[in-house]
Amino acid sequence: MGRRTAWWRVAVVGIVLGAVAGAPGSPGFAASASPSTSRLASQATLASPSTSAPPSSSASPSSSATASSYVFAEGAPSVTGAADTADAERLEPGTTYRSSLPSDGKVYYRLKLDGTSTVYVAATAVPPTDVAVTPTEGVRVSVQDADGRSCSAADTASIGAGRSPRPLTVWGARQLSPSRSLCQGAGTYYVVVERVLRTESLPGDWDLELAPVLEPRLRKADSTSAPEAWDSATPSPPTGAAVRVRGGGGFGSATALEQGVWRDDVWPGQTLFYEVPVDWGQQVYATADLSSSSGGGAGGGFVPGGVNLALYNPVRGLVDATSISYNGSQKSGALAALPPVGYDNRYAVSDRVNGMRFAGAYYVVVHLAARVGEEFGDGPFGLMLRVRVKGEATAGPGYAGQSEPSGIFQVGLLGRASGAAGEADSSDGDGGGGGGDAGMKLVAVGGIGAGTVVLVVLGVWTVVGRRRAAGV
């Protein structure tokens, strides 16, 4: 009987600790949430001041001759890009891969797709931090069918005026659409990645991260035309006291932000990643302010394209970007006004509209050109981000299956945004309110759930103790 009592105590303590660990802000809670929402729940980490470190402190091992500052997805399997389709290795939607991109020639990867889902593949190419690059060189990706026909226009990204090595992300897609005839059937498809306009940079591989994503079809057919009108007025940036944060080093380690004002530090040559949950029917807006220089450098005091601010959607497709020249004085840049998240946006011609095609984590990415350090000192430079999420969340379109990875098009712990078959398409909350509202709702739900479990377990423990005292 004594051993039974000890067993009960160990079990109950384990359950209580598990419930507490499942509360928001704890590791257990983060592990059980979807990838795009787990970091959002841990608001204590976001709000606490953190000690910044230069880019090299968070760098992951690189396959190229020199290390990059990009942090690749943890545990990502390696895959080798083939020189032709015959040897192309297979990519599975929902898995993020690590590879490399040679100086010349195309590399191929293989997809095995059904005839009912849309598949996106994002490729992030990362030049070594200490190589010379030109403004026009970059990376291109496309998805092709077995006959070599492109399923969508090839997407290209280039270094830009800052002439600074930085992660370049492009996306390709096999999109199912009643208005298209190509690439609509099940079968073998290929992802094709290549360097473009390499004229002056040194030969050598660039690191590469590949993130294929599957979007299931809708349960019920929807409109196949883009919305004709939406509120295009530029919202006012949030004001108030800034909360100290530390930006992540890659898409997989992006720091979760809500609406509000956020303060960080950035070093020359560094790229910082943040993610913002945006639900169906909501608009996102962001500005970046770089502080004035406190030191001097050996150059002439002007860096074209010194700061790059970009927004990527949940599948890492570029939605909008702006480049800001820097002369040592404080500078500010802003994203353009963007439409509310809507499924029908995908039928628009403009990238700024068709990129806002699903709910989920949108990525705000800031890069400070390495040349800023040459002109104005090593830094760090103060960075202020102002993020606004405007509008009431609405019900999602209703998918007929699960996305891969699961939950990528959902916002909130219950997946209220899009929902797979059998899940409710309800939503609540106002993204346009003060900063922290959404996070407090998540914390409240998690806290109530954990508290209820603790009370129930303690009640059971009390009953067991009374039964023992009565000799039952």
Side-chain angles (χ1 to χ4, degrees):
M1 192 67 179
R3 291 183 180 178
R4 290 185 180 179
T5 302
W7 177 87
W8 262 98
R9 289 176 179 172
V10 171
V12 171
V13 170
I15 296 173
V16 172
L17 291 177
V20 174
S26 69
F29 181 85
S32 62
S34 66
S36 62
T37 58
S38 60
R39 289 185 297 277
L40 173 62
S42 185
Q43 295 301 309
T45 301
L46 290 181
S48 62
S50 60
T51 302
S52 301
S56 59
S57 67
S58 60
S60 61
S62 170
S63 63
S64 56
T66 56
S68 70
S69 61
Y70 185 80
V71 177
F72 289 83
E74 185 177 359
S78 295
V79 61
T80 301
D84 54 52
T85 56
D87 296 320
E89 293 189 41
R90 182 174 175 179
L91 305 179
E92 292 285 353
T95 300
T96 300
Y97 297 87
R98 185 163 181 177
S99 189
S100 61
L101 184 62
S103 302
D104 299 300
K106 301 176 181 179
V107 290
Y108 294 85
Y109 307 89
R110 181 168 52 92
L111 295 168
K112 189 72 173 179
L113 305 182
D114 60 31
T116 63
S117 307
T118 292
V119 172
Y120 306 92
V121 181
T124 298
V126 187
T129 57
D130 59 353
V131 300
V133 291
T134 62
T136 55
E137 70 176 302
V139 61
R140 177 186 295 137
V141 69
S142 62
V143 175
Q144 300 176 355
D145 67 10
D147 289 321
R149 298 172 296 190
S150 293
C151 299
S152 59
D155 187 30
T156 302
S158 57
I159 292 293
R163 294 174 177 261
S164 180
R166 62 187 180 92
L168 299 175
T169 301
V170 287
W171 63 322
R174 192 291 295 266
Q175 180 176 328
L176 294 185
S177 171
S179 62
R180 298 175 61 89
S181 58
L182 293 179
C183 304
Q184 299 298 291
T188 299
Y189 292 80
Y190 297 95
V191 179
V192 187
V193 190
E194 61 182 317
R195 296 263 295 275
V196 296
L197 297 177
R198 187 184 69 81
T199 56
E200 299 176 16
S201 62
L202 298 175
D205 292 357
W206 287 4
D207 285 321
L208 189 65
E209 186 172 77
L210 299 164
V213 172
L214 181 147
E215 182 187 27
R217 64 179 177 84
L218 298 182
R219 289 200 293 265
K220 184 171 68 173
D222 203 352
S223 170
T224 57
S225 60
E228 296 181 0
W230 48 275
D231 183 5
S232 60
T234 301
S236 58
T239 58
V243 176
R244 184 78 178 188
V245 295
R246 189 75 197 106
F251 285 102
S253 57
T255 298
L257 303 181
E258 295 178 301
Q259 176 169 285
V261 184
W262 309 93
R263 169 72 166 84
D264 206 343
D265 289 318
V266 59
W267 272 262
Q270 188 177 34
T271 305
L272 298 176
F273 291 77
Y274 310 87
E275 64 177 27
V276 181
V278 187
D279 217 329
W280 299 100
Q282 293 184 325
Q283 294 173 278
V284 61
Y285 178 70
T287 66
D289 300 336
L290 189 69
S291 69
S292 58
S293 170
S294 60
F302 181 76
V303 181
V307 186
N308 186 270
L309 170 66
L311 180 74
Y312 296 85
N313 63 26
V315 301
R316 308 184 184 184
L318 180 65
V319 178
D320 188 36
T322 184
S323 182
I324 312 160
S325 296
Y326 188 71
N327 62 1
S329 298
Q330 62 273 20
K331 295 296 179 181
S332 180
L335 297 174
L338 299 168
V341 172
Y343 188 89
D344 297 345
N345 287 337
R346 66 191 60 210
Y347 303 115
V349 176
S350 167
D351 291 341
R352 290 175 177 170
V353 178
N354 66 45
M356 302 296 294
R357 63 179 65 190
F358 19 55
Y362 280 74
Y363 298 92
V364 176
V365 181
V366 178
H367 176 77
L368 183 62
R371 291 176 59 199
V372 171
E374 300 172 7
E375 303 289 342
F376 304 103
D378 294 337
F381 294 77
L383 175 66
M384 193 81 74
L385 292 173
R386 303 178 190 273
V387 178
R388 181 173 294 282
V389 179
K390 178 183 177 182
E392 293 280 353
T394 61
Y399 289 121
Q402 289 286 352
S403 64
E404 295 292 345
S406 178
I408 192 171
F409 305 127
Q410 299 174 347
V411 172
L413 297 179
L414 302 180
R416 55 185 172 82
S418 54
E423 294 179 355
D425 285 335
S426 61
S427 62
D428 60 278
D430 180 7
D437 289 350
M440 290 304 99
K441 290 178 181 177
L442 296 182
V443 170
V445 171
I448 292 172
T452 301
V453 173
V454 171
L455 290 175
V456 170
V457 171
L458 290 177
V460 172
W461 198 345
T462 301
V463 170
V464 171
R466 288 176 178 175
R467 289 171 62 87
R468 288 181 59 250
V472 178

